[in-house]
Amino acid sequence: MGDGPLLDRRSAVAELGAELRALADLVTRTEVGADVLRDSARRLHEVAMALRERVRSTAEPASVDDLRGGVRMFNPVIGAGNPIAPPMRIEIGEDGAEGWCTLGQIYEGPPTYVHGGVSAMLIDQLLGHAAASTGHPGVTRDLSVRYRRPVPLNVPLRVWGHVTGVEGRHISVVGGITTVSEPGLPLVEADARFTRLRPDQASRLFSGLASLDAANPDVAHD
Amino acid sequence: MGDGPLLDRRSAVAELGAELRALADLVTRTEVGADVLRDSARRLHEVAMALRERVRSTAEPASVDDLRGGVRMFNPVIGAGNPIAPPMRIEIGEDGAEGWCTLGQIYEGPPTYVHGGVSAMLIDQLLGHAAASTGHPGVTRDLSVRYRRPVPLNVPLRVWGHVTGVEGRHISVVGGITTVSEPGLPLVEADARFTRLRPDQASRLFSGLASLDAANPDVAHD
C-alpha cells in the first residue's frame, strides 16, 4: 500500500479537528437560546454515534500516528486532530525550539486573559521540543514558570526555548512566552529539566507501536 | 425575572459542554474511515452555523457567568460548559482545596500517560482555589512542578493544595496530584505563590461585568 490512504486519513483527521475546534470556540462564546443549545447537543450526539463504530483502545496507538517518526496527531498542544490543541506550530532549531499560536476564548482564565495553566501547558510542550533538539527526547522532570505580565487572548503569541546545559541524562532548558509583536517583552518566563529515557524505558513506552506493527502491517509500513 | 431562565440556560450550557467533550474524546480514539470523518466535519460545520447567530465579544462576560459570585462556566479546567475542561470537581476547605477528575485519551502526552502540561494546568487551577480559601482570590505569580511518576489516563485522580503562608499580598501554597486509590503516593508535587489583587486591579479585571449590568439588567440581577 502506498502513502495515499494514510496521508488522506491524516488530512481528514486534521479537518475534523479544525471543525471541532471552531465549534468548541463558538460554544464558549454563543449567546443563542437554551433551545438552540439543546438542539445542538442532540445533533452532536448523533455525530458521536457514527464515530463510535470503530474505536481504538488506550494501548493501541492511532493509525495516523508514527510514534518513532514523531507524528502525534492528537497531542493536546500541537496535534491538528486534537480540539484541545490551539494547535501550536513548532520549529526546531539547533539548540532550541520556537512555537506560535493564538489563543481564543476557550483558553480564558482571568477575564480577557489566558489561563495561567494553559501558559504552563504550552511551555511544557515547547521546552520538551527544545530539549529534544539535542537529539534525545526526554520526559519533564521539573518545570518552573514565572508569570510576569498577563497573556492576552486573540493575539499572536510566540513561545521559545533554549537548551542551557546537558549533564548525563539531564537536559536543562529555559524559555518563555511573548507576543509576536513585542518579542523583547517577557510575559511568562520558565526553566525546566528533562530526563532522557533509557533505551529500555523508551522501548516500553513505544511498545504499543510494536504491537501495531504486527497487527496492522499495511499502516505501519506506510 | 426569576432564576428559572438563567438556571435553565446554565443547564443547557452544561449539557452541550458534555456532548462536545464526549465527541472530542471520540475524535481522538475513532478509527472509522476518512469518509465518515469528513461527513462528521460537515455536520459539525452546520451545528456551528446555528451557534454563530448570536456571539458575545471577548470583553462581554458570558450571560450564564457571575464573575463576582465565582460562577465561571467556561473555565478551561473546571467549567462544565468548556469542552477542554475534564471538568475537575473542586471542594474548598479551611486552608486549602481538593479536586477530582479522570483524564481520557484527549489529555495524552507520552503514550498511555497524561501530558505533563495538562498536569501543570490542573495544579495551577487547584492551587489558585487553595490560595483563594484565605478569602482573597489572586493571580499566579510563580508555579513549580516536579514530576515524580507518570500520571495514568482513565484513572480517578486527586489534586490537592494547602496554604503554607500569607505575607502581605503574597500567598504560598503547596500541592500535588495522586490517584484516588493511592493518596499517599505522589505522582506530581508542586508549590506556587499567588498575589492578591489590589482593589483597583480587581475592579478593572471585573469591569466587563459592570458593563453587562448596565446593558442587560435582566440577566445581571438573576
Side-chain angles (χ1 to χ4, degrees), chain A residues 87-98:
Chain A
M88 180 161 69
R89 183 169 60 84
I90 284 190
E91 275 178 27
I92 312 291
E94 254 185 48
D95 60 347
E98 205 163 350

Side-chain angles (χ1 to χ4, degrees), chain A residues 21 72 75-82 84-93 96-103 107 121-123 125-127 129-130 155-161 176-180:
Chain A
R21 195 171 290 125
R72 299 289 307 276
N75 175 289
V77 181
I78 62 169
N82 190 328
I84 285 185
M88 180 161 69
R89 183 169 60 84
I90 284 190
E91 275 178 27
I92 312 291
E98 205 163 350
W100 297 269
C101 63
T102 300
L103 302 176
Y107 302 102
M121 183 167 76
L122 298 182
I123 281 180
Q125 177 75 30
L126 194 281
L127 297 194
H129 287 278
V155 166
L157 301 174
R158 170 183 161 266
V159 191
W160 64 274
I177 301 179
T178 72
T179 60
V180 167

Side-chain angles (χ1 to χ4, degrees), chain B:
Chain B
M1 189 168 88
D3 280 352
L6 175 62
L7 295 183
D8 183 58
R9 189 154 202 288
R10 282 184 181 161
S11 153
V13 161
E15 288 163 37
L16 180 55
E19 285 296 348
L20 197 49
R21 195 171 290 124
L23 190 61
D25 175 64
L26 273 170
V27 159
T28 62
R29 295 193 297 128
T30 190
E31 287 292 347
V32 296
D35 53 333
V36 181
L37 297 179
R38 289 205 169 91
D39 182 58
S40 300
R42 192 185 48 71
R43 289 161 75 182
L44 295 188
H45 196 78
E46 281 168 19
V47 175
M49 304 256 284
L51 299 178
R52 204 172 274 127
E53 297 249 315
R54 199 188 146 215
V55 168
R56 67 188 167 98
S57 70
T58 300
E60 180 192 4
S63 62
V64 289
D65 281 359
D66 174 359
L67 300 194
R68 282 175 296 213
V71 178
R72 298 289 307 275
M73 289 207 71
F74 300 108
N75 176 288
V77 181
I78 61 168
N82 190 329
I84 286 187
M88 179 162 70
R89 184 171 59 85
I90 285 189
E91 275 178 26
I92 312 291
E94 252 185 52
D95 61 347
E98 205 163 351
W100 298 269
C101 62
T102 300
L103 301 176
Q105 198 69 37
I106 205 160
Y107 302 102
E108 184 182 61
T112 78
Y113 295 113
V114 172
H115 190 284
V118 172
S119 293
M121 185 168 74
L122 298 183
I123 282 180
D124 176 69
Q125 178 76 31
L126 193 282
L127 297 194
H129 287 279
S133 74
T134 60
H136 300 272
V139 294
T140 320
R141 182 175 166 181
D142 55 59
L143 169 69
S144 291
V145 184
R146 296 170 296 284
Y147 299 89
R148 298 301 191 200
R149 293 169 182 85
V151 178
L153 293 175
N154 303 315
V155 166
L157 301 173
R158 171 184 160 264
V159 191
W160 63 274
H162 279 296
V163 174
T164 54
V166 179
E167 198 171 333
R169 289 171 52 223
H170 305 301
I171 305 163
S172 298
V173 185
V174 297
I177 301 179
T178 72
T179 61
V180 167
S181 62
E182 292 188 273
L185 188 72
L187 306 179
V188 180
E189 292 174 332
D191 55 87
R193 282 185 300 169
F194 290 82
T195 302
R196 294 174 178 183
L197 295 172
R198 292 191 312 263
D200 61 305
Q201 292 173 319
S203 114
R204 225 181 318 140
L205 204 56
F206 296 122
S207 62
L209 189 66
S211 353
L212 183 68
D213 280 350
N216 202 348
D218 282 348
V219 172
H221 293 296
D222 265 331

